[in-house]
Amino acid sequence: MTEFLMADFMNDMWSRFINGTITDPLEWAIVIVAGIIVVVALISIVISIWLAIKYVKFNRKQNTAGITGVEAARRILDQNGLQDIRVKTTGSLLFGNSYSHYFRKVRLRRLTRNKTSISSLAMGAQKSCLAILDKEGDKDMKARIIFTPIQLFGPYAFFPLIIVGILLDVIITQTIGIFTVIFTVLGLLFFLSSFILSVLTLKTEKKAQNKAYEIMRKNGMITQDELDDIKSLFKLYNIEYINNIILSALELIYRILVLIGYAKNSNSRSSNN
């Protein structure tokens, strides 16, 4: 019910925007934030395409050590007492090259893991270094591990939680009140978790990158030119992480503004009635 009412509010607002009849500063703020979200989302697509091109380019370029991603990962893990961490294949778009604390594994893409390429070496080394951060008890890595499960359902819990709050208010108090407020705030906190995780992801990925550079140099896995290539690849990854942080923050702001606008609109209708 609430989703339909909010949808009516948004449809009415966008209709007035198209017709040039919006005068409310709050609604203008919603329109502006929505426009920025579209721009940032388009930039995200461009970055993803650019990253994919560079990834494929370096996946065709052989590393001089002749080491595959699996071999690099296994060597680094074993050297750091992490023999229990498995190196597994993934063809998933969801996980990709990644490290899982809960499943105790480093995941490497099927098209990358067994190649003696720069991309394969970079991914195997860097994801293994996330496991090292985990073992060392890095505070940002600990926080990332805590927030990761919330990411799977947090952003999608926003509207359902509001509906639960309204139903409780209607059933218990016969009016829209405290339960709606509590569950709305809870929904925003869940959505906020996505933003926090984006920040933690950037911080831990950069730490793992720096650790991987150090280990690969120490073990003679890369030349300086290859290190420069890997740094340029990870630079794009970091830009993508920063873009995700901005997008998460904007989406959170957008939802808050829409809720305020909906509440203001509902109060206005109640007063008129």
Side-chain angles (χ1 to χ4, degrees):
M1 176 181 170
T2 307
E3 288 188 68
F4 289 123
L5 292 174
M6 291 187 75
D8 287 340
F9 162 69
M10 292 303 296
N11 287 335
D12 179 60
M13 191 199 76
W14 285 115
S15 294
R16 285 185 286 111
F17 170 70
I18 292 171
N19 294 327
T21 57
I22 286 184
T23 57
D24 191 327
L26 177 61
E27 293 184 349
W28 269 114
I30 294 173
V31 170
I32 291 169
V33 172
I36 296 173
I37 287 174
V38 172
V39 172
V40 173
L42 290 174
I43 292 173
S44 180
I45 293 172
V46 173
I47 293 171
S48 296
I49 294 172
W50 188 10
L51 177 57
I53 291 171
K54 180 155 285 195
Y55 186 95
V56 171
K57 174 185 175 182
F58 289 147
N59 201 35
R60 293 174 177 170
K61 188 174 180 180
Q62 301 299 300
N63 63 70
T64 54
I67 302 172
T68 68
V70 173
E71 291 168 343
R74 189 72 271 156
R75 184 185 300 184
I76 292 171
L77 291 170
D78 291 347
Q79 286 175 351
N80 288 274
L82 292 167
Q83 288 83 0
D84 63 313
I85 303 292
R86 296 170 294 161
V87 181
K88 304 293 288 184
T89 302
T90 177
S92 169
L93 292 175
L94 177 63
F95 295 110
N97 298 305
S98 60
Y99 163 69
S100 171
H101 164 85
Y102 297 100
F103 293 100
R104 308 297 292 165
K105 66 172 68 170
V106 168
R107 301 184 183 96
L108 296 177
R109 291 188 185 277
R110 180 172 286 108
L111 296 177
T112 304
R113 56 175 270 132
N114 288 320
K115 288 192 174 184
T116 56
S117 67
I118 290 176
S119 289
S120 184
L121 175 60
M123 294 301 115
Q126 194 262 350
K127 299 310 172 187
S128 298
C129 287
L130 287 172
I132 296 174
L133 290 177
D134 188 4
K135 179 188 175 184
E136 293 175 346
D138 179 84
K139 64 178 183 178
D140 292 323
M141 192 66 193
K142 281 184 176 180
R144 175 177 173 174
I145 290 166
I146 292 170
F147 277 94
T148 296
I150 301 175
Q151 185 193 32
L152 297 176
F153 63 89
Y156 307 104
F158 185 70
F159 285 117
L161 282 171
I162 296 175
I163 293 171
V164 169
I166 290 176
L167 288 176
L168 287 174
D169 271 333
V170 171
I171 294 171
I172 297 174
T173 66
Q174 283 78 51
T175 185
I176 304 300
I178 188 64
F179 286 109
T180 302
V181 173
I182 290 173
F183 278 84
T184 297
V185 171
L186 186 59
L188 288 173
L189 288 175
F190 271 114
F191 200 88
L192 179 62
S193 69
S194 178
F195 170 74
I196 294 173
L197 183 60
S198 296
V199 175
L200 292 170
T201 297
L202 174 61
K203 293 179 72 175
T204 51
E205 292 290 330
K206 288 186 71 174
K207 286 181 181 180
Q209 290 162 17
N210 291 329
K211 191 175 286 291
Y213 301 151
E214 180 183 344
I215 290 175
M216 287 189 291
R217 276 198 300 253
K218 182 179 177 181
N219 291 349
M221 293 181 179
I222 51 174
T223 64
Q224 185 57 50
D225 287 342
E226 290 167 342
L227 180 60
D228 292 339
D229 286 342
I230 290 174
K231 284 184 176 181
S232 70
L233 178 63
F234 283 136
K235 183 178 180 180
L236 276 178
Y237 272 104
N238 295 339
I239 292 172
E240 186 174 54
Y241 294 138
I242 292 170
N243 192 80
N244 290 340
I245 290 171
I246 295 171
L247 194 57
S248 295
L250 288 170
E251 288 176 348
L252 179 62
I253 293 169
Y254 177 77
R255 277 168 167 73
I256 292 173
L257 290 175
V258 169
L259 270 177
I260 295 172
Y262 167 68
K264 183 178 177 181
N265 189 61
S266 297
N267 290 335
S268 177
R269 287 182 180 178
S270 298
S271 299
N272 292 334
N273 293 334

